[in-house]
């Protein structure tokens, strides 16, 4: 049960990281240059970091869920 929670938190983290990255990257074209790429990077870099680590958390949870399912 614990690994299912870890897997769900990983999925939510991936979605959060993806949303932050996409919104921050779309900020510059959507504001017609009023936002610089340097300002957008303040959201893009943390979004990619959250996306990266959450993906590994998701994979870890998925591996243990599959492993425990084969035991039962």
């Amino acid at each position: 049960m614990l690994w299912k929670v870890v897997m769900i938190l990983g999925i939510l983290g991936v979605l959060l990281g993806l949303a932050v990255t996409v919104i921050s990257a779309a900020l510059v074209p959507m504001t017609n240059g009023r936002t610089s790429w340097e300002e957008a990077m303040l959201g893009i870099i943390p979004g990619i970091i959250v996306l990266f680590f959450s993906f590994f958390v998701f994979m870890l949870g998925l591996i243990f869920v599959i492993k425990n399912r084969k035991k039962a």
Side-chain angles (χ1 to χ4, degrees):
M1 180 68 182
L2 174 70
W3 293 110
K4 288 181 183 179
V5 173
V6 170
M7 189 174 69
I8 291 171
L9 287 176
I11 291 171
L12 291 175
V14 167
L15 293 175
L16 175 69
L18 189 63
V20 169
T21 304
V22 168
I23 290 170
S24 296
L27 203 58
V28 176
M30 297 294 271
T31 59
N32 294 325
R34 286 178 287 178
T35 303
S36 68
W37 280 106
E38 290 81 19
E39 292 171 333
M41 286 295 166
L42 293 174
I44 294 172
I45 293 172
I48 291 173
I49 291 170
V50 168
L51 183 66
F52 182 74
F53 286 117
S54 295
F55 179 73
F56 284 114
V57 169
F58 166 68
M59 291 306 292
L60 182 69
L62 182 65
I63 289 168
F64 279 102
V65 165
I66 291 172
K67 182 179 169 186
N68 289 337
R69 185 171 291 172
K70 288 185 179 181
K71 279 185 177 179

